[in-house]
Amino acid sequence: MHPTRTLPDESLAAELLPPLLVALGVLAAFAFGLLMLNQYRADIWPYLLTGALVGSIWASGSLLRRGRLQAAGSLTAHALALLPIFSILAFGLAGNPLIYLSALGVAAAGLLISPAAPLAMARTALLTLLAFLVVPPLIGRPIASLSDALAAGLTSSLLLCGVAVLSWAGAHNVRGTIGWALETSAKSERREALLRRAQADLERTVRERDQLNDRLYRQSLELAAAKAQAEAAFRSKSSFMATMSHELRTPLSIIIGFSTAMIEHPEMYEGEPLPPSYINDLAEIKRSGEHLLRLINDILDLARVEAGRLELNKTVLPITPLLEEMVRTAQGLLKERPVILRREFQGVLPTVIADEMRVRQVLLNLVSNACKFTSVGEVAVGARVEENEVVLWVRDTGIGIAEADQPRIFDQFEQVESHDTRQHTGTGLGLSICRWLVELHGGRMWLVSELGKGSIFYFTLPRVQGAGALGERTPASTLALAE
Amino acid sequence: MAKILLVDDVYTARSMTERVLKHVGRYEVIAVGSGEEAIAAATECTPDVIVLDISMAGMDGLSTLRALRAQGITTPVVAYTARTERALGEFVGQGFDAYVQKNGNLSNLLTTIREIVGK
């Protein structure tokens, strides 16, 4: 069987070895004192010396066992080992060889207790002593008195015990000396201390966790409060926006309304039409008012889109009627200009899922741009079907956009410089909103253009698979709004 | 000659619409400035069409409409507001017979009224 260094064995050795060795040391000191008494019966020194030895062994043992004051314990142990040697010198050659033996015994006990000495060395020392003791002829003198015999017997049994203990320790694969045992005991104490510390750590961690939990809970409460506050602020902001837009629109509708009435309905003014010079300025007032109204609408739209609040009323939307409507719109916008209007779509186009009003807004924006910037040539409205989407475009042979300007054409308030700003008024928000709206539908928007030759604005809308299926139309999209 | 009850709390807007309806549309117009007056006038004058502003201080267009219907007045009501088309959508299904955006385009209102009166 191979003895293993399991924890119970280790701790058993650690628990047993120190008291055993201390007991042996005490007994050795007793034997030494007995021999001394036998030699110097009348003297006080043997009593004192024996007392000091027993006391110091006991003290060193208990000190070392506690694992504290190790340095002091070790010092005592070395003093113990040295004391008999000095006592031999002090008492001289007493004539009794046993005194050497017992002195050596004490030295061995001291050696055993010393944390530094190796176990094998202590065992060898004890065995040597035992050999000397059990071979009387080597000593060269017969044992005379009873006390001599007692001392010899005590010493030899002591040595036997020591050897037995050390062999037992050896059998348990215990290395080193009592120092090791003490260290093990110290180790277990350290382990215990570590455990206590770990427990304290754990408790602290648990406490900290509890505190953190508390804090988290408080924070979640604060967060909920902040969220409610933000939502309230958001609601008040949107109601502010709604009120604001209403407040802005009301006077504008009056400005536009009266200028329209003055230009178109002289019957409201006793049937007397205004002189043309007035009409021109009124038309300017009307146009500026309409521009301002468009601007307000665009800004509100953009604010809604950017706040993620613009909701689409998606329905299954047929494209062809919408494109036909755009062609008619373009016709009206181009009026007498020498511009050819083309339909670049054929047959019945598939349906898409889209917000009709928003798609119309995008197309209207592109078509009115195309008509605005084209004085001669062509304007086309087109569409083609691809696998998952429908690509729509508005093409013109107008002024075009320089390549350098193209990347920022979709930015807010970006307008490519125009020579005739009065002719080409716009909010600078239209294309930006268009792209937002297309992206909101899950489509893309881009352009192909060359300065002086014209532009094509493309955008895509996701297709409905299995065209012709009539989706339910929300009431909002069927709103009878006179536009 | 069709009779129109016009309800708008903004004086200038009201008088403008009133003049347009009178001179351009050739209608008889009773113009009032609040929902309460509108309910009184609706029972008294039995108009053919009610043109009702939605955003009014005090009793707004929607509560005026409800009060009218609660009193058994079935006169067609046109919602006439400066709100956006989108905001108008919120009033769909609330019982208005038509919606017209108040954006300065006078013919929209005239066309809508003509359609209702002609029916």
Side-chain angles (χ1 to χ4, degrees), chain A residues 163-465:
Chain A
V163 171
V165 164
L166 289 174
S167 300
W168 173 72
H172 279 83
N173 205 16
V174 173
R175 285 178 221 287
T177 62
I178 180 162
W180 169 83
L182 290 168
E183 213 169 271
T184 310
S185 118
K187 229 188 258 170
S188 77
E189 264 181 38
R190 269 206 299 279
R191 218 175 281 154
E192 204 181 310
L194 268 174
L195 268 174
R196 267 198 296 275
R197 262 209 303 280
Q199 196 188 356
D201 274 355
L202 203 66
E203 277 168 7
R204 205 171 48 241
T205 311
V206 168
R207 244 188 344 265
E208 276 170 13
R209 192 204 58 193
D210 286 350
Q211 281 166 0
L212 282 174
N213 274 348
D214 282 355
R215 221 161 67 198
L216 207 63
Y217 179 66
R218 274 200 305 278
Q219 274 173 353
S220 75
L221 286 183
E222 281 165 19
L223 210 63
K227 195 180 162 221
Q229 219 170 5
E231 278 170 354
F234 192 74
R235 272 197 300 277
S236 81
K237 190 188 152 202
S238 40
S239 84
F240 170 79
M241 291 275 275
T243 314
M244 187 71 182
S245 81
H246 178 256
E247 295 304 314
L248 290 169
R249 267 186 257 265
T250 303
L252 265 175
S253 73
I254 295 167
I255 292 169
I256 300 164
F258 273 130
S259 43
T260 307
M262 285 180 186
I263 298 163
E264 295 172 14
H265 304 295
E267 60 266 41
M268 266 174 72
Y269 305 93
E270 282 94 35
E272 282 176 37
L274 288 164
S277 53
Y278 284 75
I279 296 286
N280 285 345
D281 289 357
L282 278 170
E284 204 59 62
I285 291 172
K286 187 189 168 194
R287 200 160 64 193
S288 298
E290 282 167 347
H291 178 70
L292 198 52
L293 191 61
R294 225 171 20 244
L295 196 60
I296 289 165
N297 289 341
D298 281 359
I299 287 168
L300 290 172
D301 257 4
L302 200 67
R304 265 201 293 270
V305 169
E306 291 195 330
R309 280 187 56 245
L310 197 137
E311 283 167 16
L312 297 177
N313 272 323
K314 283 192 188 176
T315 55
V316 177
L317 179 68
I319 296 178
T320 317
L322 208 56
L323 293 181
E324 291 291 352
E325 185 190 321
M326 287 308 128
V327 172
R328 282 196 299 276
T329 308
Q331 233 154 17
L333 288 168
L334 290 167
K335 285 174 190 158
E336 313 285 277
R337 267 182 271 172
V339 176
I340 302 162
L341 193 57
R342 288 191 191 281
R343 282 180 181 78
E344 293 182 341
F345 54 93
Q346 284 174 348
V348 178
L349 290 161
T351 50
V352 290
I353 298 178
D355 183 329
E356 185 175 353
M357 195 144 89
R358 295 305 182 182
V359 175
R360 182 182 283 117
Q361 184 179 347
V362 173
L363 278 168
L364 211 56
N365 201 295
L366 298 180
V367 166
S368 69
N369 273 350
C371 295
K372 195 154 60 182
F373 295 111
T374 309
S375 44
V376 66
E378 286 178 11
V379 167
V381 179
R384 71 164 180 269
V385 186
E386 290 192 351
E387 199 182 339
N388 296 316
E389 56 193 17
V390 176
V391 183
L392 300 104
W393 65 85
V394 176
R395 184 173 63 81
D396 67 61
T397 55
I399 57 173
I401 298 155
E403 208 168 321
D405 293 327
Q406 286 178 16
R408 56 185 184 88
I409 195 76
F410 293 110
D411 292 347
Q412 289 156 28
F413 293 111
E414 283 294 347
Q415 277 183 301
V416 175
E417 279 174 39
S418 166
H419 299 294
D420 186 356
T421 43
R422 239 183 58 167
Q423 192 189 337
H424 303 148
T425 49
T427 60
L429 288 169
L431 283 175
S432 179
I433 293 168
C434 283
R435 194 174 61 173
W436 270 106
L437 290 173
V438 168
E439 283 172 2
L440 216 58
H441 277 91
R444 296 162 290 129
M445 188 169 199
W446 70 98
L447 84 155
V448 174
S449 184
E450 200 178 321
L451 192 63
K453 295 208 168 164
S455 314
I456 313 174
F457 280 86
Y458 293 96
F459 69 99
T460 65
L461 290 171
R463 241 181 97 175
V464 185
Q465 298 300 331

